[in-house]
Amino acid sequence: MSSKGGRYRGSVKDYPDFDASQDAETLYKAMKGFGSDKQAILDLITARSNQQRIQIIQAYKSLYGKDLIDDLKYELTGKFERLIVGLMRPPAYFDAKEIKDALDGVGTDEKCLIEILASRNNQQIHALVEAYKDAYGRDLETDVVKDTSGHFKKMLIVLLQGTREEDDIVSDELVAQDAQDLFEAGEAKWGTEEAQFIFVLGSRSKTHLQLVFDEYEKIAGKTIEESIKAELSGDIEKLMLAVVKCVRSIRDYFATRLYKAMKGMGTADNTLIRIMVSRSEIDMMDIRESFRTQYEKSLYSMIKNDTSGEYKNALLNLCGGDDDAAGEYFPEAAQVAFQKWELSATTAARTELKGTIRPASDFNADSDGKALRKAMKGFGTDEDTIIDILTKRSNSQRQAIKQAFKSHFGRDLMADLKSELSGTLAKLILGLMMTPAQFDAKQINKAIVGAGTDEKVLIEIMATRNNQEIQAINEAYQEAYHKSLEDAISSDTSGHFKRILISLASANRDESGEDLEKAVEDAKVIASVLEVSDSGSGDSASLETRFMTILCTRSYPHLRRVFQEFIKHTNHDIENTIKKEMSGDVKDAFVAIVRSVKNKPAFFAERLYKAMKGAGTDERTLSRILISRSEIDLFNIRQEFKNEYEKSLHHCLESETSGEYQKALLAVCGGDD
């Protein structure tokens, strides 16, 4: 049982006036005859503590001579059965069953092994090992050794010993030594000495490690997580990161695991069941708070939207209640959210933006032009050569190739490529051959002309480009389409959405730092417009104009401070409040600005993920983002993609596309993470 300030933090408690025999009778009746009363079963079992459920099993055996778990397995099916049966096992036996399932069958569920062994304390580990031996007549360490390998296996075996130090008395000298040893084992040497990471992270107490991580950051100039990601890979990287996360905050670790289990396409039901069962009598209330703090929505609401039937009802009972309306923080969580904007500013200031395409060394425009001509001359087209050259040259080098091609052959390279290539490959290659401003201008024009307007494209481009990029787009648009970008936007959009786009198209965003006094005032204006404050003054039209001006013309550093002050002033999250109070394209535009301010690479990573999620693939979005970000921050986008979706962008592109188009996209992507 976990406590916070002496309080019980589980969501399931001992049922008052408990009567095991009466409960056994109720369950027997619910399963007797044709069909079963599933609602009665879940209502009873989710309202009893694990110790009480064990007593019900014993009473059921005494009264009816039958095994309650066997009867439940017979009457129930699927995810609902797995959840209910999981609740009936003692915690150590439940963990043992999960580990056995992870090791048995085709392949190993490494994520399950990592989650359980990285998060359990010594007492829980010892109980797990004994339960595994009792239930399956096998030694857990032997089975893990047989089914895993390398440094991943070594770290699992260390964790299985259950010998982590538990003394809260910390030696400053040893903290400094461990931090230095980790630095010298990774960042300070060529290659990584994994054994040192395994020893320190696998054996030191949590209190000690928290101080080691702080000291490490001072020495290395980066967090221990950043170093692990740079120095390790595969399952050992995931395991080490899980250990670090559990040391820092076990509630945050499980909140993240739950969120990722439900986010995106499909639900990782085994993970969802495992965490809801195993933490329901330990720290579910803490996990709920962390979930709300990190994701600005309640765990309850996400379960409700992502599951169905009796399975959903049982999970919601274990969750123990819905938290405040989305976007409104727990009072104790507001400070954490405030600090997250502080962290966002620090991260943005020190993050080096990197593209995946750099200027080719020993570049020769004449040679490239001749190679491209040869690839397109005669019968058939050598697409591989075209892809290999044009995806490995910077945009300025491609412009030089175009000029050389014209000088040598008197031909337009763009026209030849258009003639020789087709479909999505042609669009991708031709997009790479335009200057960034020409490409953006063309994308905007395509979004405006024709049947209907593609507002998402307008928002994506206009909300994420800096002043210099917007000015270049204006010039390119005028040159290509003989009308101003502002006129094109005005003729095809209306209302507040038009005003937002025109404001962004003016390229008037301040590029200086923050002004704290002005940020406080700006936060109050935003709060008044979004109706979460009574402190606003002036007429609504004036406030709306000021609101638009703030989001469309203030600098990113200043807006980070504004959004931070908004939390302090209202106890609400800016993004969720905009979603709640606004609608349509205006809402989408402002949300895009907020997300760009918070983390622009993460914004694009989400756009790419959604372009490949579900039925069909949005190739236009894939091509547009990979082309436009390839020399700016595509490497950073890749990192955010991997962190958020636990799969590489390269892998997703490989799965969702094919042929020469796939080859070109993967070349622009620049590698598999």
Side-chain angles (χ1 to χ4, degrees):
M1 183 181 295
S2 176
S3 64
K4 178 185 172 186
R7 291 181 293 142
Y8 176 67
R9 301 300 291 166
S11 56
V12 176
K13 306 175 178 68
D14 283 337
Y15 189 75
D17 302 321
F18 170 66
D19 186 323
S21 296
Q22 186 175 314
D23 284 349
E25 185 179 350
T26 300
L27 289 172
Y28 181 77
K29 287 178 179 177
M31 293 185 284
K32 190 179 179 183
F34 184 73
S36 55
D37 187 347
K38 297 179 178 63
Q39 190 65 44
I41 294 169
L42 76 89
D43 281 343
L44 190 149
I45 289 175
T46 59
R48 305 298 187 268
S49 67
N50 189 265
Q51 285 187 341
Q52 290 175 333
R53 295 183 205 117
I54 302 306
Q55 292 179 53
I56 295 170
I57 291 174
Q58 294 167 347
Y60 194 91
K61 185 77 170 178
S62 298
L63 286 170
Y64 306 108
K66 304 177 73 173
D67 187 290
L68 176 54
I69 289 181
D70 286 345
D71 281 4
L72 288 168
K73 284 181 178 179
Y74 181 79
E75 293 291 334
L76 310 178
T77 58
K79 297 172 288 191
F80 181 51
E81 176 212 327
R82 188 178 180 94
L83 174 61
I84 294 298
V85 170
L87 287 167
M88 300 307 296
R89 292 192 172 100
Y93 284 82
F94 176 74
D95 279 352
K97 177 68 164 65
E98 292 295 302
I99 292 278
K100 180 176 179 293
D101 289 348
L103 294 172
D104 285 352
V106 181
T108 304
D109 185 352
E110 290 85 3
K111 288 181 181 178
C112 174
L113 297 180
I114 290 168
E115 179 197 298
I116 293 176
L117 297 182
S119 65
R120 303 313 194 243
N121 61 33
N122 289 346
Q123 185 180 352
Q124 291 167 330
I125 291 287
H126 295 153
L128 159 63
V129 171
E130 290 176 15
Y132 192 92
K133 182 75 172 178
D134 181 51
Y136 308 112
R138 286 157 32 190
D139 180 65
L140 177 53
E141 183 176 324
T142 302
D143 284 359
V144 168
V145 167
K146 184 174 65 177
D147 219 56
T148 58
S149 61
H151 295 296
F152 178 59
K153 175 180 70 177
K154 292 175 185 176
M155 184 62 176
L156 290 177
I157 297 307
V158 168
L159 294 174
L160 269 173
Q161 304 314 302
T163 54
R164 184 178 297 285
E165 295 165 359
E166 294 181 329
D167 190 351
D168 285 342
I169 299 173
V170 176
S171 161
D172 292 340
E173 193 175 308
L174 187 56
V175 165
Q177 185 62 55
D178 280 348
Q180 187 64 38
D181 287 347
L182 288 176
F183 178 68
E184 291 176 0
E187 292 288 339
K189 68 177 293 182
W190 180 264
T192 307
E193 193 178 316
E194 288 87 351
Q196 192 63 45
F197 279 84
I198 291 171
F199 171 71
V200 174
L201 295 181
S203 63
R204 300 299 194 212
S205 73
K206 289 190 174 184
T207 304
H208 176 88
L209 285 174
Q210 286 165 356
L211 295 174
V212 169
F213 298 159
D214 291 341
E215 185 65 23
Y216 181 90
E217 191 166 355
K218 294 176 188 174
I219 297 171
K222 59 172 67 174
T223 65
I224 187 72
E225 290 93 338
E226 290 172 320
S227 289
I228 288 171
K229 289 175 184 177
E231 297 294 324
L232 305 175
S233 62
D235 294 326
I236 184 61
E237 175 197 349
K238 293 172 187 172
L239 177 54
M240 290 300 192
L241 288 173
V243 170
V244 171
K245 190 74 179 274
C246 288
V247 166
R248 289 198 188 277
S249 171
I250 203 158
R251 56 154 69 179
D252 290 350
Y253 173 72
F254 282 116
T256 299
R257 290 283 292 155
L258 285 168
Y259 179 73
K260 289 184 176 180
M262 292 181 280
K263 188 182 179 188
M265 186 169 57
T267 302
D269 292 295
N270 286 354
T271 300
L272 185 54
I273 291 167
R274 186 168 57 248
I275 297 174
M276 296 303 291
V277 170
S278 64
R279 310 311 293 189
S280 60
E281 293 183 52
I282 300 175
D283 53 4
M284 184 55 66
M285 300 299 287
D286 291 334
I287 293 168
R288 275 170 44 182
E289 282 189 14
S290 175
F291 196 96
R292 276 292 316 282
T293 302
Q294 292 189 70
Y295 306 111
E296 290 94 36
K297 64 180 74 176
S298 69
L299 174 59
Y300 187 98
S301 66
M302 197 159 183
I303 291 172
K304 190 174 182 180
N305 292 331
D306 214 61
T307 58
S308 60
E310 286 88 7
Y311 174 56
K312 175 183 76 175
N313 294 339
L315 287 171
L316 293 178
N317 285 358
L318 293 179
C319 184
D322 198 0
D323 302 312
D324 302 337
E328 184 178 346
Y329 290 110
F330 294 102
E332 58 265 40
Q335 187 177 359
V336 177
F338 184 89
Q339 290 168 346
K340 285 175 76 175
W341 277 107
E342 200 82 59
L343 180 63
S344 170
T346 304
T347 303
R350 76 181 189 187
T351 297
E352 179 190 357
L353 296 180
K354 292 191 287 186
T356 55
I357 294 179
R358 300 174 182 83
S361 57
D362 302 324
F363 170 65
N364 188 310
D366 290 339
S367 296
D368 283 346
K370 290 174 183 176
L372 288 170
R373 175 65 179 151
K374 183 179 179 182
M376 294 186 284
K377 193 176 179 182
F379 183 74
T381 305
D382 182 358
E383 287 94 349
D384 286 344
T385 295
I386 295 171
I387 292 168
D388 190 56
I389 292 173
L390 297 181
T391 60
K392 290 181 173 59
R393 307 293 184 269
S394 68
N395 192 271
S396 61
Q397 289 176 335
R398 292 184 211 116
Q399 305 313 310
I401 294 171
K402 278 202 294 190
Q403 294 173 347
F405 197 88
K406 186 78 171 178
S407 298
H408 274 290
F409 306 109
R411 302 172 67 88
D412 185 301
L413 177 55
M414 293 284 281
D416 280 8
L417 288 168
K418 195 171 184 179
S419 171
E420 293 293 327
L421 305 175
S422 61
T424 51
L425 176 63
K427 291 173 183 174
L428 179 65
I429 295 297
L430 291 170
L432 287 168
M433 295 305 299
M434 297 177 185
T435 67
Q438 289 170 344
F439 180 71
D440 278 349
K442 184 175 177 63
Q443 298 304 304
I444 289 171
N445 183 254
K446 288 172 70 175
I448 289 174
V449 300
T453 305
D454 192 338
E455 291 86 1
K456 287 184 179 178
V457 172
L458 296 180
I459 291 168
E460 178 196 298
I461 295 174
M462 301 304 296
T464 61
R465 302 316 193 242
N466 61 34
N467 287 346
Q468 187 179 353
E469 291 166 334
I470 293 285
Q471 288 164 357
I473 293 169
N474 272 294
E475 292 170 12
Y477 200 94
Q478 181 70 49
E479 182 180 349
Y481 306 108
H482 310 294
K483 66 189 298 186
S484 72
L485 177 58
E486 182 177 328
D487 287 345
I489 290 170
S490 295
S491 65
D492 211 64
T493 57
S494 61
H496 288 307
F497 183 55
K498 178 174 77 174
R499 289 175 61 199
I500 295 167
L501 292 179
I502 289 175
S503 179
L504 293 171
S506 300
N508 286 327
R509 189 176 292 285
D510 181 19
E511 295 185 336
S512 62
E514 66 180 65
D515 180 331
L516 179 56
E517 190 174 329
K518 187 193 286 186
V520 172
E521 186 58 37
D522 286 347
K524 290 178 180 177
V525 170
I526 292 175
S528 298
V529 173
L530 295 177
E531 299 179 357
V532 289
S533 172
D534 297 323
S535 63
S537 59
D539 65 272
S540 59
S542 172
L543 284 171
E544 286 179 3
T545 299
R546 289 177 67 190
F547 177 91
M548 197 171 298
T549 300
I550 291 165
L551 268 73
C552 294
T553 68
R554 303 288 198 257
S555 71
Y556 274 23
H558 181 80
L559 284 174
R560 287 190 188 99
R561 179 63 68 182
V562 171
F563 300 153
Q564 197 176 30
E565 291 300 320
F566 181 85
I567 294 171
K568 185 188 290 185
H569 187 64
T570 67
N571 211 43
H572 281 69
D573 169 69
I574 181 69
E575 183 180 327
N576 273 283
T577 307
I578 288 172
K579 288 177 179 176
K580 181 181 177 184
E581 298 297 331
M582 297 185 168
S583 62
D585 301 324
V586 172
K587 175 196 73 176
D588 292 342
F590 284 138
V591 167
I593 292 171
V594 171
R595 288 190 175 177
S596 294
V597 170
K598 184 181 290 185
N599 186 331
K600 194 179 288 186
F603 169 78
F604 283 115
E606 183 181 34
R607 291 279 292 148
L608 286 169
Y609 179 74
K610 287 183 176 178
M612 293 181 279
K613 178 188 169 188
T617 302
D618 181 357
E619 286 96 354
R620 287 185 179 181
T621 297
L622 293 185
S623 297
R624 184 175 60 254
I625 295 176
L626 264 69
I627 290 169
S628 64
R629 311 312 296 184
S630 60
E631 293 182 55
I632 301 173
D633 55 2
L634 187 52
F635 181 80
N636 307 83
I637 292 168
R638 273 171 38 186
Q639 290 180 312
E640 294 293 340
F641 194 99
K642 179 72 180 294
N643 289 341
E644 185 63 27
Y645 305 109
E646 295 188 331
K647 58 184 77 172
S648 70
L649 176 58
H650 180 102
H651 171 76
C652 289
L653 291 171
E654 200 170 38
S655 301
E656 294 293 327
T657 60
S658 60
E660 305 300 334
Y661 175 60
Q662 180 198 70
K663 288 182 186 176
L665 281 177
L666 294 178
V668 175
C669 181
D672 194 1
D673 299 306

